[in-house]
Amino acid sequence: MAAEDRRLRERATRVIPKGMYGHMSTALMPDGIPQFYTRASGTRLWDADGRIYVDCLSAYGPNLLGYADPAVQSAVLAQQALCDTASGPSPLMVDLAEALVGMIDYAAWALFCKNGSDATSIALMTARAHRGRRKILVGRNTYHGAHGWSTPRPAGTLASDREHLIYFAFNDPDSFEAALGQADNDLAGIIVTPCRHEVFEDQRDFAPMMAKRLRDVCDERDAVLVLDEVRTGFRLSTSSAWQPLGIAPDISCWGKVLGNGQPISCVLGSDRLRDAAGRIYVTGSFWYSAVPMAAALETLRQIRETDYLARMETAGRLFRDGLDERARATGFSLRQTGAVTMPQVMFEDDPDLRRVYRFCQVAAQHGALLSPYHNMFMNAAMTSADIAVVLDAAEAAFDDLRGRRSDLPAVPPGAAERAQKAAVPQPL
Amino acid sequence: MAAEDRRLRERATRVIPKGMYGHMSTALMPDGIPQFYTRASGTRLWDADGRIYVDCLSAYGPNLLGYADPAVQSAVLAQQALCDTASGPSPLMVDLAEALVGMIDYAAWALFCKNGSDATSIALMTARAHRGRRKILVGRNTYHGAHGWSTPRPAGTLASDREHLIYFAFNDPDSFEAALGQADNDLAGIIVTPCRHEVFEDQRDFAPMMAKRLRDVCDERDAVLVLDEVRTGFRLSTSSAWQPLGIAPDISCWGKVLGNGQPISCVLGSDRLRDAAGRIYVTGSFWYSAVPMAAALETLRQIRETDYLARMETAGRLFRDGLDERARATGFSLRQTGAVTMPQVMFEDDPDLRRVYRFCQVAAQHGALLSPYHNMFMNAAMTSADIAVVLDAAEAAFDDLRGRRSDLPAVPPGAAERAQKAAVPQPL
């Protein structure tokens, strides 16, 4: 651990619970992954010790177009000079709602908030308000944010937080039908992610047949199909992740990328849910602020008018193919799963994760920031030169790993156990 | 309603549920209060039709030092050029936690989030994680944010969202003891605001004896006393609102003013709760972003080093005294409640609110933005010249009201009923 990062961690331990919390804590990361960053530009991050990384985490999603994308930055600075948080929203809020309704074919309205968790909780409230029913079907161990009903760690939550949730196993029709039977006449809705992208797991696509069945069930029962696009939004498609399937949800949740790093999330819904969305009461002090909306308008413009997705896919393919090639050359075999724009990389024959942890540690020493357990996020600023830096770092890491295994350091407590648990089929 | 504001509302109705939602919806406001604003500077707001207002709402709290306070704005722009949302926090997060722990005497740690609702929910999770107990005592009809357990409108929420909450009436010792009896051995904590500041109600101070009793109960039972300062923070004191009482909570919730309009909220806690706070899992994509932290560091510096509070109090006294004087001169009698920095203004003999609604409507026509049902917020940029504009507008409004009553237009559906309900003592 570099000197300044260590000093900051020591100070943080005194004034922040456990020194850091949530998904940005490095407690489960390999040694040597920085906890703190001082500068971000394009594809690069600077840590507190002045080391520079090509960042394949992209702020865990928000960085879609490159850190401080010049056009987004201009929009931010121009709006910052006019008005941000005031006693009412800016007209930009209407422009932004119109832009989203114009881009997502099933969307008739937008409701803006701050966090992805806000958006998923609002989606459930809207689904329940629709017909006054209570049960929501949820994928087992699927992350839909960190509110009490979904947070992955139970401390401080109540059994009643999840009282009307019914879980089903991913892509398992029998499990789904059993859950549906349990909901009986009280089915408010179903919430799913477009693909499975849980930490410590391979990513998996949603089976089109399952998506079709969910849609049919919600149509038959006047229930609400919620698609949680907080993580996938605009990285799988310039529109809905389910557009290729020809299946529309009733409500979708967006966050992370919407303002290219500016804090904004939203819920989109079909006309059928307009009344329900108008009856719930949700709000936040900063939900109406204008600067993130200015950033979102420019981000959406680039999504509509530029080849950002093709660029990001190209970077993702170079990354995936290059890693595979270098792995093969050094005798390793990788499991690379999910879309190339949201890569998850695991090693075969690595049950206790020592290899992937050491791999990410050495890659960081060579200037590439990778995660051993969380899916990564490509961004549209990445060039072949950036990916070359990453692949050179990966090559150094594969070389380091060659012939080593039992002498590799153990991973942080809990990490290997979580990976093993994830590999076991889930009980109903 | 001015032309451009009307056009924006018509567009909004098509793409936003009910045209607007939450506390920034003008659905319950008098006609003529703008829904949209385009510019904010110091004490002034510009509406979409170019009309200028001295804003006594201060963004419903966040505007503490003046919109776009020059020093805060500089801090924002400097940090925006370096790093905002990245793959980890900035060292500013440690600086900010240290600053808060240094300013609030009972605080040993800080946990940052975005909304006030995040902060109050995290406080409850921490209280429950502390000893694994479930019951939280809450003031009846007290707003602690818009998450399911607290939102004032039930649509889309579940009875189970409030299953382990036990309500007590404000400043009512018998009601409190009855609630305490119900909690029995399962008392996790108590959450209160430093004063009662609900919409459509007079504000009331928390009885010091009650605060003392709450503290004693939490000490005796190893339960957690949570003070929700989201609305009061740094407007009653440069430290804890309860510092004058000599009573420290275990946890406090802050938001709104913390970054003078930049989106940031936080939870502060004593050393006794450090372990519990480290065991819960909460997070958000933008909770670690550096720009709002840079804004908060400068805001806190001004709180520590300037006379911002004295300036805000002076403005508040000029406002309160000036209103009273002009009311008397025109034969009206006002009920002005709460701290002068957070004024609530109602008319005596105005059960259906027609007077206060017309008053705010005419005041807006004369360039003063006031609320007929929500406490207002002074800010430190307000000068005697600003208050003079407000008082001139008030004078015009009192003149308009003189001799009128039955010919005043009815208030929006629901508003008068809420005021009448608020005036009736609450059942247990």
Side-chain angles (χ1 to χ4, degrees):
Chain A
M1 208 179 291
E4 185 56 25
D5 197 69
R6 184 191 305 272
R7 274 192 292 272
L8 285 165
R9 287 177 197 235
E10 285 165 5
R11 286 170 54 200
T13 301
R14 290 193 282 274
V15 291
I16 294 172
K18 281 199 175 159
M20 193 50 62
Y21 50 88
H23 68 297
M24 287 199 181
S25 164
T26 56
L28 288 184
M29 277 290 209
D31 267 357
I33 302 289
Q35 179 64 79
F36 296 95
Y37 298 95
T38 57
R39 202 180 142 202
S41 180
T43 60
R44 308 293 165 117
L45 284 182
W46 282 250
D47 73 15
D49 292 274
R51 296 179 183 178
I52 305 178
Y53 305 85
V54 174
D55 175 21
C56 297
L57 308 182
S58 295
Y60 291 89
N63 177 17
L64 180 72
L65 305 171
Y67 287 118
D69 171 79
V72 175
Q73 191 83 331
S74 291
V76 164
L77 297 180
Q79 187 58 41
Q80 185 70 37
L82 284 175
C83 184
D84 186 16
T85 303
S87 296
S90 146
L92 295 183
M93 187 170 175
V94 185
D95 297 339
L96 184 58
E98 288 175 345
L100 285 160
V101 165
M103 288 169 72
I104 309 296
D105 51 12
Y106 55 82
W109 52 265
L111 195 158
F112 299 101
C113 35
K114 279 289 128 184
N115 306 309
S117 299
D118 295 333
T120 55
S121 289
I122 290 169
L124 265 52
M125 286 175 77
T126 305
R128 284 168 168 148
H130 178 53
R131 290 291 174 247
R133 304 186 200 141
R134 296 175 298 177
K135 305 296 180 192
I136 304 278
L137 271 49
V138 188
R140 190 181 301 280
N141 297 324
T142 303
Y143 184 76
H144 291 292
H147 283 183
W149 61 271
S150 174
T151 187
R153 207 181 292 163
T157 70
L158 303 168
S160 53
D161 291 338
R162 299 172 198 241
E163 185 171 330
H164 294 289
L165 301 181
I166 304 174
Y167 297 95
F168 63 96
F170 184 79
N171 275 350
D172 181 335
D174 294 342
S175 170
F176 175 75
E177 299 302 329
L180 192 58
Q182 265 186 273
D184 200 20
N185 292 324
D186 199 16
L187 180 72
I190 307 169
I191 184 168
V192 294
T193 51
C195 59
R196 189 162 172 88
H197 45 49
E198 302 307 316
V199 290
F200 294 102
E201 287 185 24
D202 295 329
Q203 294 189 84
R204 283 174 282 171
D205 289 336
F206 210 92
M209 288 289 291
M210 281 294 294
K212 176 77 170 55
R213 175 68 182 139
L214 268 48
R215 181 65 274 169
D216 289 345
V217 163
C218 288
D219 287 341
E220 286 159 19
R221 302 196 178 201
D222 195 9
V224 178
L225 182 52
V226 179
L227 192 62
D228 173 359
E229 294 237 37
V230 172
R231 215 181 287 188
T232 54
F234 298 124
R235 271 203 173 79
L236 304 184
S237 158
T238 58
S239 175
S240 167
W242 273 5
Q243 201 167 47
L245 305 183
I247 295 172
D250 301 298
I251 292 180
S252 52
C253 308
W254 305 72
K256 292 192 181 282
V257 301
L258 199 55
N260 200 49
Q262 282 283 320
I264 182 165
S265 63
C266 83
V267 181
L268 302 178
S270 68
D271 202 50
R272 193 165 68 96
L273 276 303
R274 189 191 293 271
D275 173 69
R279 282 186 285 114
I280 64 171
Y281 188 86
V282 290
T283 199
S285 295
F286 308 111
W287 290 12
Y288 312 84
S289 304
V291 168
M293 295 185 186
L297 280 163
E298 171 56 24
T299 303
L300 294 178
R301 188 198 64 76
Q302 292 194 40
I303 288 169
R304 288 192 309 271
E305 298 179 9
T306 74
D307 63 346
Y308 87 98
L309 187 57
R311 279 183 276 136
M312 194 160 53
E313 286 169 343
T314 300
R317 270 191 297 272
L318 287 173
F319 175 83
R320 180 163 291 180
D321 295 347
L323 279 186
D324 268 340
E325 192 184 304
R326 280 155 185 80
R328 272 196 306 274
T330 41
F332 292 102
S333 182
L334 302 178
R335 288 201 316 276
Q336 300 204 58
T337 55
V340 292
T341 55
M342 297 176 59
Q344 178 83 310
V345 179
M346 314 285 264
F347 278 65
E348 298 284 9
D349 193 24
D350 186 30
D352 63 4
L353 302 183
R354 288 178 187 225
R355 275 189 177 141
V356 70
Y357 266 70
R358 176 69 182 166
F359 176 77
C360 292
Q361 184 180 38
V362 176
Q365 288 163 2
H366 289 80
L369 204 57
L370 305 170
S371 176
Y373 61 80
H374 196 294
N375 77 273
M376 292 171 272
F377 296 91
M378 297 288 114
N379 65 68
M382 286 176 162
T383 62
S384 55
D386 293 312
I387 302 300
V389 171
V390 174
L391 295 178
D392 285 351
E395 193 164 307
F398 285 125
D399 282 343
D400 173 274
L401 280 175
R402 203 166 2 188
R404 299 177 61 177
R405 180 151 167 191
S406 57
D407 66 328
L408 291 172
V411 304
E417 291 72 12
R418 291 185 68 172
Q420 277 159 350
K421 202 170 145 198
V424 174
Q426 300 158 1
L428 269 190
Chain B
M1 207 179 294
E4 184 57 24
D5 197 69
R6 185 192 302 275
R7 272 193 292 273
L8 285 165
R9 288 178 196 235
E10 285 165 2
R11 285 171 54 201
T13 301
R14 289 193 283 274
V15 291
I16 293 172
K18 281 196 175 159
M20 194 49 63
Y21 50 88
H23 68 298
M24 287 201 180
S25 165
T26 57
L28 288 185
M29 278 291 209
D31 268 356
I33 303 288
Q35 177 64 80
F36 296 95
Y37 298 95
T38 57
R39 203 179 141 201
S41 179
T43 60
R44 308 293 165 118
L45 284 182
W46 283 249
D47 74 13
D49 292 274
R51 296 178 183 178
I52 305 178
Y53 305 85
V54 174
D55 175 22
C56 297
L57 308 182
S58 295
Y60 290 90
N63 177 17
L64 180 72
L65 305 171
Y67 288 117
D69 172 79
V72 175
Q73 191 83 330
S74 291
V76 164
L77 297 181
Q79 188 58 40
Q80 185 70 37
L82 284 175
C83 184
D84 185 17
T85 303
S87 297
S90 145
L92 296 182
M93 186 169 176
V94 185
D95 298 339
L96 184 58
E98 288 175 345
L100 285 160
V101 166
M103 289 169 72
I104 309 295
D105 52 12
Y106 56 83
W109 52 265
L111 194 157
F112 299 100
C113 35
K114 280 287 129 184
N115 305 310
S117 300
D118 294 333
T120 55
S121 290
I122 289 169
L124 265 51
M125 285 175 78
T126 305
R128 285 169 168 149
H130 179 53
R131 291 293 174 245
R133 304 185 200 141
R134 295 175 300 177
K135 304 297 181 192
I136 304 279
L137 271 50
V138 188
R140 190 181 300 281
N141 296 326
T142 304
Y143 185 75
H144 292 291
H147 283 183
W149 62 270
S150 174
T151 187
R153 207 181 292 163
T157 69
L158 302 168
S160 53
D161 292 338
R162 299 170 198 243
E163 185 169 332
H164 295 288
L165 301 181
I166 305 175
Y167 297 95
F168 63 96
F170 185 78
N171 275 349
D172 181 335
D174 294 343
S175 170
F176 175 75
E177 299 301 330
L180 193 58
Q182 264 185 275
D184 201 21
N185 291 324
D186 199 16
L187 181 72
I190 306 170
I191 183 168
V192 293
T193 52
C195 60
R196 189 164 172 88
H197 45 48
E198 301 307 317
V199 289
F200 293 102
E201 286 185 24
D202 294 330
Q203 294 188 84
R204 283 174 283 171
D205 288 336
F206 210 91
M209 287 289 290
M210 280 296 292
K212 176 78 170 55
R213 174 69 182 137
L214 267 47
R215 180 65 275 167
D216 289 346
V217 164
C218 288
D219 286 341
E220 285 159 19
R221 301 195 177 202
D222 196 9
V224 178
L225 183 52
V226 179
L227 191 62
D228 173 359
E229 294 236 37
V230 173
R231 214 182 287 189
T232 54
F234 298 123
R235 271 202 174 79
L236 304 185
S237 159
T238 57
S239 176
S240 167
W242 274 4
Q243 201 165 47
L245 306 184
I247 294 171
D250 301 298
I251 291 181
S252 52
C253 308
W254 306 72
K256 292 191 180 284
V257 301
L258 200 55
N260 199 50
Q262 281 284 320
I264 182 165
S265 63
C266 83
V267 182
L268 301 179
S270 69
D271 202 49
R272 193 165 67 96
L273 275 303
R274 190 191 291 271
D275 174 68
R279 282 187 285 114
I280 64 172
Y281 188 87
V282 289
T283 198
S285 296
F286 309 111
W287 290 12
Y288 312 84
S289 305
V291 168
M293 295 186 186
L297 280 163
E298 171 56 25
T299 302
L300 293 178
R301 187 199 65 77
Q302 293 194 40
I303 288 169
R304 288 192 310 271
E305 298 178 10
T306 75
D307 63 346
Y308 86 98
L309 187 57
R311 280 183 274 137
M312 194 160 53
E313 286 168 344
T314 300
R317 270 192 296 270
L318 287 173
F319 175 83
R320 180 163 293 180
D321 295 347
L323 279 186
D324 268 339
E325 192 184 304
R326 280 155 185 80
R328 273 196 304 274
T330 40
F332 291 102
S333 181
L334 301 179
R335 288 202 314 278
Q336 300 204 58
T337 55
V340 292
T341 54
M342 297 175 59
Q344 177 83 309
V345 179
M346 316 283 266
F347 278 65
E348 298 285 8
D349 192 24
D350 186 30
D352 62 5
L353 303 183
R354 287 178 188 226
R355 275 190 178 140
V356 71
Y357 266 70
R358 176 67 181 168
F359 177 78
C360 292
Q361 184 179 39
V362 176
Q365 287 164 4
H366 290 79
L369 203 57
L370 305 170
S371 176
Y373 60 81
H374 196 293
N375 78 272
M376 292 170 273
F377 296 90
M378 297 288 114
N379 64 69
M382 286 174 160
T383 63
S384 55
D386 293 313
I387 302 301
V389 171
V390 174
L391 294 177
D392 285 350
E395 192 164 308
F398 285 125
D399 282 342
D400 173 274
L401 280 176
R402 200 164 7 186
R404 300 178 59 177
R405 180 153 165 191
S406 58
D407 65 330
L408 290 173
V411 304
E417 291 74 10
R418 292 185 68 173
Q420 278 158 350
K421 204 170 144 197
V424 174
Q426 300 157 2
L428 269 191

